[in-house]
Amino acid sequence: MRYELFYWPTIQGRGEYVRLALEDAGADYVDVARRKGGERRMMAMMANRRLGPPPFAPPFLKANKLVIAQVANILFYLGPRLGLAPKSEAGRLRLHQLQLTIADFVVEIHDTHHPLGPTFYYEDQRPQAKRRTEEFWKARVPKFLGYFETLAARGNGPYLDGRRANYVDLSLFQIVEGLRYAFPKRMARFERKIPRIVALHARVASRPNIAAYAQSGRRIPFNTDGVFRHYAALDE
Amino acid sequence: MRYELFYWPTIQGRGEYVRLALEDAGADYVDVARRKGGERRMMAMMANRRLGPPPFAPPFLKANKLVIAQVANILFYLGPRLGLAPKSEAGRLRLHQLQLTIADFVVEIHDTHHPLGPTFYYEDQRPQAKRRTEEFWKARVPKFLGYFETLAARGNGPYLDGRRANYVDLSLFQIVEGLRYAFPKRMARFERKIPRIVALHARVASRPNIAAYAQSGRRIPFNTDGVFRHYAALDE
């Protein structure tokens, strides 16, 4: 089956967690909105009242007749089909729980540059962003990444859940990539506290399909329109 | 089976979405942390490295040997077992997608009083909370509740997904309850724009087990420690 992924064509954003899973698995997929007329088709699907239900926002995935929105929901569906999650109910719920924790972290990452909400520009909330970012690095990054470091420490590795990579490993790779881009100085200092997550990142980066994806031109570079944004003032 | 729910004992918070499902279904459950020694047991489970994985935060549910965290994940598990979700994969993914959209909304509701992050007190971020709340009511409430109003409009009712209530209906009930408590003036003005969601709220409120729960003393009153908080300054 050819999967169709619908997401904004110029950012990694939340769609990237799905792209990484599809790429790592070598799945047959189309990144619809990056093709001619694709963004229009994406908007039309969101307005299509006959879809049950239409997505609230991108990303969403079309798999035959199913249209699935919400990153963690898409990965829950794709995981066992792509060989990136166990097939048992308990195993699937366990991974999903971790992915939802990552999703919570992603919201807080986004809020560092948008503490007053998504409808103002960053430029309209610089002092508040600075204050929120300080707190984010002081309390929230240690809490979230410390949690995953603990999970990695009690596993037998090399991946979070053992010998096989799953979609949570890929998402943690993206978190490290994004924090390095957005906050190079802060992240460089912090990484010594999470050696196992840093090693996990390297391991994912060297997976053949991920390495090929990074060099393919298909991976959109980070930029200041996505979730991870580099503003020098927030990295001091 | 007797379910064990673990959540903070003095607030509705995120645990309430699970409590409502258990109560509506008349499920056999214990709200562990509200019993003597229960909060200590909750904290011990979160620190238990042998759990696979230990929860990042409450709420979590113990069902025999399974320990499941994240509200939407818990409801995904409980839904079909409590008769509050269809059994088909497509039906379960569809409801889960809606629940995850509600979860995103809940984060934004919380951010109205905590725009600078969860580690500062509201009292330390009043002006920012005011500004975020304005934008929340101007742009975000219409977007989220407008979406669910549209879904209700295209259904055949009386519930969002047809004749039978599901856990998303219960969660929307809680959203309306919470917004009425936190922002009584603003919500009173806004409700004329979402007549179907208001009607859905009334329908859920009159379900026998929900009505009994509301009067039982088991439902913790809203207060200014939870997600929904009433601060008069934010309701003007």
Side-chain angles (χ1 to χ4, degrees), chain A residues 49 51-54 69-70 73 81 89 93-94 96-97 101 104 111 115 119 124 131-132 135 147 154, chain B residues 49 51-54 69-70 73 81 89 93-94 96-97 101 104 111 115 119 124 131-132 135 147 154:
Chain A
R49 290 187 173 214
L51 280 187
Q70 286 276 355
N73 200 30
R81 288 168 172 88
E89 183 186 33
L93 293 170
R94 186 177 73 231
H96 191 51
Q97 173 177 323
T101 304
D104 288 344
D111 281 355
T119 50
D124 297 327
R131 203 166 150 198
R132 175 130 194 180
E135 209 52 28
Y147 173 74
R154 57 170 219 152
Chain B
R49 291 186 172 214
L51 278 188
Q70 286 278 354
N73 200 30
R81 288 169 172 88
E89 183 187 34
L93 292 170
R94 187 176 72 231
H96 191 51
Q97 174 177 322
T101 304
D104 288 343
D111 281 355
T119 48
D124 296 327
R131 201 164 151 201
R132 175 130 195 179
E135 208 52 29
Y147 173 75
R154 58 170 218 153

Side-chain angles (χ1 to χ4, degrees), chain B residues 125-202:
Chain B
Q125 47 187 308
R126 286 176 198 261
Q128 295 86 354
K130 181 77 179 163
R131 201 164 151 201
R132 175 130 195 179
T133 300
E134 289 298 335
E135 208 52 29
F136 172 75
W137 278 96
K138 199 166 122 190
R140 306 303 288 173
V141 174
K143 186 169 164 70
F144 277 100
L145 292 187
Y147 173 75
F148 285 103
E149 179 73 12
T150 303
L151 294 192
R154 58 170 218 153
N156 298 315
Y159 293 104
L160 204 62
D161 208 32
R163 276 190 311 112
R164 299 191 60 179
N166 61 49
Y167 62 73
V168 173
D169 295 306
L170 304 179
S171 293
L172 285 172
F173 159 83
Q174 175 68 2
I175 294 287
V176 171
E177 288 274 294
L179 291 175
R180 282 181 179 175
Y181 159 74
F183 305 100
K185 293 180 192 168
R186 291 182 188 269
M187 187 61 174
R189 283 195 298 273
F190 184 78
E191 286 193 14
R192 62 184 171 76
K193 294 186 181 164
I194 49 161
R196 289 176 184 86
I197 297 301
V198 170
L200 177 66
H201 167 272

Side-chain angles (χ1 to χ4, degrees), chain B residues 5 9 21 35 43 48 63 71-72 78 80 84 92-93 99 106 108 111 127 129 142 151 155 177 188-189 191 202 232:
Chain B
L5 173 66
R35 297 202 167 178
M43 301 316 281
N48 182 351
V71 171
L78 284 177
L84 288 169
R92 291 183 76 184
L93 292 170
Q99 190 66 35
V106 168
E108 296 199 21
D111 281 355
L151 294 192
E177 288 274 294
R189 283 195 298 273
E191 286 193 14

Side-chain angles (χ1 to χ4, degrees), chain A residues 206-226:
Chain A
S206 67
R207 287 170 69 82
N209 285 352
I210 295 295
Y213 171 52
Q215 297 188 340
S216 67
R218 290 193 301 282
R219 181 152 155 102
I220 300 163
F222 285 109
N223 59 51
T224 48
D225 292 320

